[in-house]
Each structure stands twice: as structure tokens, then as C-alpha cells.
Amino acid sequence: MSAERLRATYRLHCASSAAPRRAEALALEQSIEMPVEAVTDERVLREVVARVAELAPQSDGSVLAHVDLSLESIGNDAGQLLNMLFGNSSLLDDVELVDLRIPLALAQRFNGPALGVAGLRRLSGVQGRALTCAALKPIGSTVGDLAKLASTFAGAGIDFIKDDHGWADQSSAPFRERVPACQRAIAQASSGRPTPCLYAPSVSGHLDEMRAQIRFAVEHGVRAVLIAPMIVGVSNFNALRREFPELALLAHPALAGVRIRPSLLLGKLFRLFGADAVIFPNHGGRFSFSRDECQAIASNLRSPSHGLHPALPVAAGGMSVDRVPEQVAEYGLDVMLLIGGSLLMARERLAERSREFVAAAASTVAV
Amino acid sequence: MSAERLRATYRLHCASSAAPRRAEALALEQSIEMPVEAVTDERVLREVVARVAELAPQSDGSVLAHVDLSLESIGNDAGQLLNMLFGNSSLLDDVELVDLRIPLALAQRFNGPALGVAGLRRLSGVQGRALTCAALKPIGSTVGDLAKLASTFAGAGIDFIKDDHGWADQSSAPFRERVPACQRAIAQASSGRPTPCLYAPSVSGHLDEMRAQIRFAVEHGVRAVLIAPMIVGVSNFNALRREFPELALLAHPALAGVRIRPSLLLGKLFRLFGADAVIFPNHGGRFSFSRDECQAIASNLRSPSHGLHPALPVAAGGMSVDRVPEQVAEYGLDVMLLIGGSLLMARERLAERSREFVAAAASTVAV
């Protein structure tokens, strides 16, 4: 095999007897997109056509197909990687993309997190415990109310305060009013703390709009942002990673339900494209990811991978203070615990419950 | 109801008895993302929280939930529209987004196709018959082979010649070599034709890369491009639509398997965001869309909608010359027929089969 390849693993929902043919069709769909018989270029047949390396029938009746794709077909673009991995097959309901063995060449092309876990700990000054995160919500709030909320969280000792991912540039709290107001409120309320409090506003829109939002936010002292890579396009996400290497990127999983297994998309690919921290819906909350899937996401975010910085898992999606010890036991200390609505349910006791959250994270050590 | 709303329809896969609660949870997930009890701002409760308008149990056991979302929450961004429609819910396997009633305000924000069906007919000079399209493949080919292929298609009378969607900026045929060579070959081979032949190279990467590719292509005489909105991000797609109003945009469905019904995503939303033509996998080919779904895509692309230009459906995904009459009978004359691998299977008879394709389209009138 002369050309460099990367191995992708697909789950085929078909009978074992049908799997060889289905896997061959998949390999063509995700490479040359035409019958082999019609190819006249010998080099294409030898080096570009994807190859089925192995078929492994599973106990649940599905079949795992390991397929070797040519690295050449991907070029240097994150979107093109998704395109070649699963572009057309995403339209088919009998197949999922479940894993990818990332070769060194790919790690070097996309670089991964600029800051990673260590960088986030440096920024936030937090060592030896899990990080805490709260969210500014609901959308529709006024700038004044959001700043007040941010101030309460910061005063209680929360490490990261992020915009709800529903925040864009809406009229009730436009980006250019919301961000300076919240950043100022956070800076003031956290001025007496031993560690800083970091605000991560949500950036959205096309690439130029996101750049302008980031520059504006950075000018106002912001050092982290929230972005949904599947909405803004992974190529743009990766471009921002390169352009703003000192900025912490928190990736949000919105629109990530594309028949790519979360442990791969959120765990390996978001990290590969530059996420310093990745929010995922933890099991037992409002979403349906299993405990094993959440573990696999966290593991892929932090495991050694060609020298890529580890990224921080952010467990979210309906969490509460009482689950802090369980989450730290599961994920260890290199985790960010995000609690949203459950803090706000405390209403007039918001500051108190936020302090309880901070205390729980501070007192919980990994087992 | 004082605030403007848009009605989205979701299919819930749950028991009828569980549907009211599931639908309320969905309405919160896709708007304020927190419990109503925790909201202190009366205006948010009145104007921003999404509302379940109606639940309609279906004969297949699912329940359709009609939910009214606040237009305010969407702002002016295409990505934010997807985010508010289905961002978090895309991660859940018990719900699909199946339809959206597009209000006038949204049509005015996003503008739809700049050219549409009439513009594509003006560009191509084709009236009174279906348009034909062939694809430059496989990836991995040399520039010389691609130009020769393009020349053959153009000489045979094909209307549009598109890059395979797997083409990016790969080393075997870099964008800046491939595009001028193919455009030149097409211009030469079609110089004696009564109607022009249009080349649609595939543009990819982040927004700046796509702009640079488009400018380069336009300088070389190109008047159409192929883009996959779900890979590049719909906000970037919509931005290109505004920046290049004279360019024909062919939208490709790669990575569009996001639990949003194709008739909505490809049919309504791709058109809303500016696609002049939308490629979809026709039934009976390599993909699994039903005949009804394909009809619904074509219908949504072409139906009156607040003055948006109709967009051209492009039936693709394993089509062949013998299906031309059937496709025209199904879709009428306002369709583009895309045949890829099946033409190439003719090998040394490629020119002949391409001419048969052109002749079939020319002689087939709608019933």
C-alpha cells in the first residue's frame, strides 16, 4: 500500500451475508463515487479508491466495516475530512460512522487544541479540582438581567460563565451590548477572588461575523468563546482556532446528530479541529447518551494522540449540584461541570446554590 | 400573541399519552433551555418561550407536534435558524424536524435564490425541456483527464458539468489548475453549440477560501459553483449568496442526514438560504429516499413562497439514461437530470452515451 490511508469504522445495519457488498458500496460512495469498472486511471484504483480492510459481525446483529480511505482525498480541510468520511453516507439510514484512527499526518494538519486542559487550567488558575461552569440564560433576557446573573455566578466563585448556545445577536441583548456588560460584571464581581472568572460568549454567523465578534470580545477582555462547530462549519471553526491561538474555544454539540458516533465526532474530531473544551450531554440528564458513550467521549478528548493537547470534557445537559461527586468519580478531576437551569431553579437562592456548586467541586476529589 | 412566530413541526416517537410532556420539553429545549419555573422575566415567558400549538397523533404511532418558535430568537442568521429549530434536539433520537411554515419575515431576511429556475434557464439558454448535468469524476484523476472528460460531455451537448462533490483542492488536480483547464476545455468543445455549457466547480474550505476559489473561477469564466451547505455552514452559504448574486449556486446534500426531513432541509431551507438548484438522491438509485419524499423536495423547491424564486430540483444518485422519461414524467420539465457513473460506465462509448442522454432530455416532454 503505497499511499497513506486513514482507517474509518462504520456500523452497517444489514445481514452479515449482505455486508461484503454493502461495505464495498460504502467504500466507493466515500471515495470515487462511481463503479470501479468505469475507472480508467490505474493510479486511482491503486491509491484513491477506499478499501474494505475488515468486516466484523457484532453480537447485536450489525457489522463493523473497517475501511481505509486515502489521505490524499482529504487535502487540508476539516470540512473535506467530514465530506470524505461521511458526506453522502449521512443520507443513508443503514450506516453510522463510529470511529476513526487518526494518523499522524492528520494530527499535524489540524493541530488540535491550542490550549487544551493545561491551558484552560492556566487561564482559570484552577488546579487539583474539577472546573465549574454556569450559563447565562434564558435567551430573551435583557442585558441588565444577564449582567446581574453573571455577577452572581462570578461572586459565588464559578470558574467559567458561558452564554447559552441560543444567544446570537438578538434584539433583546445584542452581542455588542451583552458582551461588554457581562464581561464587566464578571470582572468586578470576581476581583477579590483567588482565581479569575472567565466569560465565554457565544459567537455565531458566518466566518467574518465570528471574527468580528471575537475581536470585539477580546478587546473587552474576553479570553474564551462558545462555538457550535457543526452549525458554523468545521472548516471555519478550525480557521478560528488558527487565527486566535490564545483564545479558549468551548465547542457546543448543537446539530451534531449526523449519524456519526458522538465519541468520534465530539471526542476525536472536535478536539482534532481545535476545541479546548467540548460540551456534551451527560447521561442521566435531558439527553439520551449512554454512560459508556459519555465515558468514550471523555476518554477520546483526553487520551494521548500524536502529541495533540488533551481537551477538557464538559459534562452538561440537565446536571445538578448533587451529581458533582458522581461526575468527578466518573470523569476524574480533568472535567468541567456545567450546571444550567438547575442553578436558576433556586431563584432568590441563586447565589447560595451557586456557592454550593463551587464548594462541591472544591471538596470533591477523584477516587 | 404579540410577538412574531414561526411554526415548526416535529415528529415525536413516543406514546400519545407521553406526547404532551415530550412536546413541552421540546419547546423549552428549542427556546429558553431551562424550566419555565425558573424564568423571572415576564416578557420572556410571553414572547420568547416556544409554544406547543397542536399535537396530532399519526397512524404510524408517532405524534406530530406543531410548535411556535419566536422569530426574535433567530435574529438574521441562517445557522442560528437551524440552531433554534433543531440544534440540541438533533442529539435526541426520539424526534425529527419535519416541516416549517416560513413566514414572510424569514423569506425577506434570507432572500432565497438569486437566479432560481428562470435564471438557470437564462444562463444555460435551455427552454422547454429538462436540463442535463454530468459530473467530473473520479477524484484522484489528473487535470488532463478531467479536461478531456469535460470536453467530451460538452461536445455531446450536456448543459451543466459539475465537479464531483469529493473534489476540493487535492494534489492530483489542485483547484487552481483544474478549474481553468476544465473551463477552457468546456468553452472550446461547446463553442459550436446553440446553447452554452456551464461548468460548476466544487468550492470548499472556510469562507475566505471559498471566496478566493469563487473569484478565481469567475475570473476564468465560471458562472456556477457546487457547494455543500451542511459542510460549509449555512451562514457561509447564505453569505456567498449575497456576495455573488450573479453566480449560480448548486447545493449538494453531503452531511445533510441530521434528523431534519429532506423535504424541509433540502427543499425549503436550502432554497431559503439561496440555492438556485438542489441536488438530491432520487428514489430508485443508490439512496433510500422514497418517491414521495423526492416529490416533496421538488415541490418545496418550486412552490410559491413569499416571492422567493423557485429553485431547480436536480435528481441524482445513481440515475441512468433510460430513466429520463420517467423522471420528466414525475418532475415535469423544470428539473435538472444528473447522471454520473452510469455515463462513465460506457467507457470508450462515453461520447455516444452522453449524446443519448442529451437526446433523451430533448425529446422527452412532460405529460
Side-chain angles (χ1 to χ4, degrees), chain A residues 15-345:
Chain A
S16 281
S17 59
R21 199 168 155 188
R22 180 67 190 88
E24 286 299 336
L26 173 69
L28 294 181
E29 193 69 53
Q30 293 308 133
S31 58
I32 57 167
E33 224 194 317
M34 63 188 282
V36 168
E37 306 88 293
V39 176
T40 52
D41 185 331
E42 283 299 319
R43 193 193 75 85
V44 170
L45 291 174
R46 203 170 56 240
E47 299 184 5
V48 182
V49 177
R51 289 185 190 149
V52 179
E54 195 191 330
L55 291 172
Q58 303 296 297
S59 57
D60 66 358
S62 69
V63 177
L64 290 185
H66 302 285
V67 178
D68 291 335
L69 303 169
S70 83
L71 211 53
E72 168 193 326
S73 63
I74 287 150
N76 293 308
D77 178 59
Q80 178 66 2
L81 174 57
L82 283 189
N83 191 26
M84 295 315 294
L85 281 172
F86 208 55
N88 272 3
S89 295
S90 122
L91 299 168
L92 293 164
D93 51 19
D94 66 344
V95 57
E96 293 155 85
L97 173 62
V98 295
D99 207 1
L100 173 67
R101 201 185 292 165
I102 295 176
L104 175 63
L106 221 55
Q108 289 171 335
R109 278 183 208 181
F110 295 113
N111 294 316
L115 304 175
V117 174
L120 292 176
R121 289 202 177 278
R122 265 195 312 276
L123 263 187
S124 62
V126 175
Q127 302 294 340
R129 63 165 173 83
L131 289 84
T132 54
C133 183
L136 299 182
K137 49 174 79 188
I139 56 165
S141 302
T142 62
V143 170
D145 282 350
L146 292 170
K148 208 173 123 193
L149 184 60
S151 180
T152 303
F153 288 143
I158 301 282
D159 301 312
F160 278 81
I161 300 174
K162 71 177 242 323
D163 277 355
D164 223 5
H165 82 286
W167 280 112
D169 192 27
Q170 294 99 338
S171 54
S172 79
F175 188 89
R176 280 171 172 70
E177 297 174 25
R178 181 173 87 244
V179 170
C182 292
Q183 176 67 18
R184 203 178 314 120
I186 288 170
Q188 285 173 0
S190 62
S191 62
R193 287 171 35 169
T195 57
C197 177
L198 290 145
Y199 174 39
S202 169
V203 308
S204 63
H206 61 66
L207 179 58
D208 285 344
E209 289 168 335
M210 292 193 287
R211 280 179 179 135
Q213 288 170 0
I214 289 175
R215 288 197 191 105
F216 177 85
V218 167
E219 277 166 21
H220 286 83
V222 165
R223 305 181 72 181
V225 296
L226 177 79
I227 307 183
M230 297 306 284
I231 288 182
V232 307
V234 291
S235 305
N236 299 288
F237 180 76
N238 190 240
L240 293 175
R241 167 74 299 162
R242 290 160 202 263
E243 288 175 38
F244 300 97
E246 294 177 6
L247 192 71
L249 298 188
L250 276 64
H252 191 279
L255 212 67
V258 287
R259 308 185 62 81
I260 302 178
R261 198 180 150 187
S263 58
L264 171 59
L265 183 56
L266 307 185
K268 288 191 180 179
L269 293 173
F270 278 16
R271 175 190 180 189
L272 180 67
F273 300 149
D276 298 298
V278 175
I279 297 172
F280 66 94
N282 199 21
H283 64 93
R286 300 195 308 278
F287 295 83
S288 46
F289 288 14
S290 70
R291 189 177 190 281
D292 285 352
E293 194 61 30
C294 294
Q295 280 296 327
I297 293 170
S299 170
N300 283 343
L301 286 171
R302 300 180 304 197
S303 300
S305 174
H306 303 298
L308 294 179
H309 288 317
L312 196 65
V314 185
M319 297 299 103
S320 52
V321 175
D322 58 326
R323 288 191 64 186
V324 168
E326 167 211 326
Q327 290 181 284
V328 173
E330 265 187 51
Y331 297 110
L333 294 177
D334 277 339
V335 69
M336 192 186 289
L337 307 172
L338 167 53
I339 306 185
S342 165
L343 292 182
L344 297 169
M345 282 293 281

Side-chain angles (χ1 to χ4, degrees), chain B residues 103-255:
Chain B
L104 176 62
L106 220 57
Q108 289 171 336
R109 277 183 209 180
F110 296 112
N111 293 317
L115 304 174
V117 174
L120 292 176
R121 288 203 177 278
R122 264 195 312 277
L123 263 186
S124 62
V126 175
Q127 302 295 340
R129 64 164 173 84
L131 288 85
T132 54
C133 183
L136 298 181
K137 50 174 78 186
I139 57 165
S141 302
T142 62
V143 170
D145 282 350
L146 291 171
K148 207 173 124 192
L149 185 59
S151 178
T152 303
F153 287 144
I158 301 282
D159 300 312
F160 278 80
I161 300 174
K162 72 178 244 320
D163 276 356
D164 223 4
H165 82 287
W167 281 112
D169 191 29
Q170 294 100 336
S171 55
S172 80
F175 189 89
R176 281 171 172 71
E177 297 173 27
R178 180 173 87 244
V179 171
C182 291
Q183 176 66 19
R184 202 178 315 119
I186 289 170
Q188 285 173 357
S190 62
S191 62
R193 287 171 36 170
T195 57
C197 177
L198 291 145
Y199 174 41
S202 170
V203 308
S204 62
H206 61 66
L207 180 58
D208 284 344
E209 290 168 335
M210 291 193 288
R211 280 178 180 135
Q213 288 171 359
I214 289 175
R215 287 197 192 105
F216 177 86
V218 168
E219 278 166 20
H220 285 82
V222 165
R223 306 181 70 181
V225 296
L226 178 78
I227 307 183
M230 297 307 285
I231 288 182
V232 306
V234 290
S235 306
N236 300 288
F237 180 76
N238 191 239
L240 293 175
R241 166 74 299 162
R242 290 160 203 264
E243 288 175 38
F244 299 97
E246 293 177 6
L247 194 70
L249 298 189
L250 275 63
H252 191 279
L255 213 66

